[in-house]
Amino acid sequence: MKAEEFIKGRGAQYNPANPYLKQEYVAAHIEGLDEAMVSNTKTEFLVEHPKKIVNKVDSPDIGLSYSLNPYQGCEHGCIYCYARNSHQYWGYGAGLDFERKIIVKENAPQVLAKQLENPNWQVMPLMLAGNTDCYQPIEAKKKLTRQILEVLLQYRHPVSIITKNALILRDLDLLTELNKLDLLHVNISITTLDEKLRLKLEPRTASGAKRLEVVRQLSAVGIPVNVMVAPIIPGLNDHEIPHIIKQAAAAGAQHAAYTIVRLNGSIGPIFEDWIQEAFPDKAAKVLSQIADCHGGSLNDSRFGTRMRGEGKFAEAISKLFKMSRQKYMAGRSIKPFNYSYFCTRAGKQMELF
């Protein structure tokens, strides 16, 4: 398949085998097929009603926090997304299925409220979302993220949002109220400002220019914004680090962070297939440099090194990032959360004494 023959609007170009399934459909005799097995079908939305919606995160790379994902699967189609592997637990593929079969957890706001009422609840930041983007396209219709923010405001609970969609500006009213109580951090992911690269790398996301505008509008009303230059893919977007941080700083961002891409599980073959088709002239170099950052492998699950990498390319990226942040964001920082406002009993303030 040539790059110009990409399935329109999708990142992955096929579905790798699901290791949890005993049977699968395969194209054993392609010459006998009347039509291609892989086609650009419409996105399908599947409704779930989980009994639990918040998960505790205790990764030493992230620190103690909670994660809440109102959607499983993501129509953004980012080829590198680590969440692709989790779609296999639902019986789907980590490739095209991840982008075209979206699970909607319609009772998420109600379940969240119930969990916050647990007398053993420990207040710490809640990541919205820690797996798939809470502002992906279906959110415009379902408004689950907005309802979740309403619950968090009612309970005065701290929340950290990460997104690459400009739809977050729809909820500026709620974000402003949360920020007044120091309950909000917003993380805007900017992987590239090269529009041609973005369209292949993360096809259904907001453009880099729109994301900078989000940073600008949020910062203008005092909302703390951290820009995630993530993931950095050596040989593909690492040269953009200074420019992204410069533009983010000009838009008002208070902080910037980064991660280096890691291709665990099924993401490895999905990414390899993608880059061979999208950038055949760069593929070998990019894959080699990614492996160099992770001890010679595309996979890396080691705490402490998996998100920052190691080796000469990882060190060069770290130095470039630190120099750029020091140059453009010196003296800036994100204000801490305030945990003292949290209240239970359906949002009624606890007595102070």
Side-chain angles (χ1 to χ4, degrees), residues 146 150 153 168-178:
R146 181 172 178 83
E150 290 173 341
L153 179 58
I168 188 176
L169 294 176
R170 178 202 63 190
D171 297 333
L172 190 57
D173 57 335
L174 293 173
L175 301 178
T176 300
E177 292 303 313
L178 285 163

Side-chain angles (χ1 to χ4, degrees), residues 17 65 315:
S65 62
E315 291 176 4

Side-chain angles (χ1 to χ4, degrees), residues 275-286:
I275 198 164
Q276 291 288 354
E277 296 170 358
F279 300 101
D281 57 328
K282 296 182 179 180
K285 175 183 177 182
V286 171

Side-chain angles (χ1 to χ4, degrees), residues 23-99:
Q23 298 177 331
E24 64 174 316
Y25 288 104
V26 298
H29 300 285
I30 299 176
E31 68 279 2
L33 296 177
D34 293 328
E35 58 184 32
M37 282 189 67
V38 178
S39 59
N40 193 12
T41 58
K42 292 182 179 180
T43 305
E44 182 180 1
F45 299 98
L46 310 164
V47 176
E48 286 286 338
H49 293 88
K51 295 181 179 180
K52 182 181 179 182
I53 196 67
V54 178
N55 299 303
K56 191 173 183 179
V57 179
D58 55 6
S59 166
D61 291 327
I62 300 175
L64 285 174
S65 62
Y66 298 111
S67 174
L68 190 163
N69 298 280
Y71 308 103
Q72 176 63 41
C74 186
E75 210 173 356
H76 280 163
C78 303
I79 193 64
Y80 51 76
C81 184
Y82 61 83
R84 287 181 177 275
N85 288 324
S86 63
H87 219 47
Q88 295 172 148
Y89 304 147
W90 296 81
Y92 301 121
L96 284 167
D97 279 355
F98 178 78
E99 305 172 35

Side-chain angles (χ1 to χ4, degrees), residues 67-71 82 127-134 160-162:
S67 174
L68 190 163
N69 298 280
Y71 308 103
Y82 61 83
M127 292 191 295
L128 185 64
N131 203 24
T132 57
D133 202 310
C134 58
S160 179
I161 301 171
I162 181 165

Side-chain angles (χ1 to χ4, degrees), residues 17 24 27 40 49 52 83 89 128 131 136 151 161 179 186-187 214 230 239-241 244 249 285 289 299 313 319 334:
E24 64 174 316
N40 193 12
H49 293 88
K52 182 181 179 182
Y89 304 147
L128 185 64
N131 203 24
Q136 61 177 288
V151 171
I161 301 171
N179 185 51
V186 173
N187 305 275
V214 170
H239 65 284
E240 289 193 69
I241 292 173
I244 292 174
K285 175 183 177 182
Q289 291 188 11
N299 295 300
F313 291 113
K319 290 180 180 179
I334 297 288

Side-chain angles (χ1 to χ4, degrees), residues 118-183:
N118 189 317
N120 296 321
W121 183 263
Q122 179 185 1
V123 182
M124 54 187 175
L126 187 152
M127 292 191 295
L128 185 64
N131 203 24
T132 57
D133 202 310
C134 58
Y135 281 107
Q136 61 177 288
I138 188 59
E139 168 61 19
K141 177 180 179 180
K142 292 295 183 179
K143 300 182 179 180
L144 292 180
T145 298
R146 181 172 178 83
Q147 294 175 52
I148 289 168
L149 291 176
E150 290 173 341
V151 171
L152 293 171
L153 179 58
Q154 181 185 31
Y155 282 82
R156 308 296 191 260
H157 196 284
V159 58
S160 179
I161 301 171
I162 181 165
T163 184
K164 53 187 68 173
N165 196 316
L167 182 59
I168 188 176
L169 294 176
R170 178 202 63 190
D171 297 333
L172 190 57
D173 57 335
L174 293 173
L175 301 178
T176 300
E177 292 303 313
L178 285 163
N179 185 51
K180 287 179 181 178
L181 299 172
D182 294 335
L183 298 173

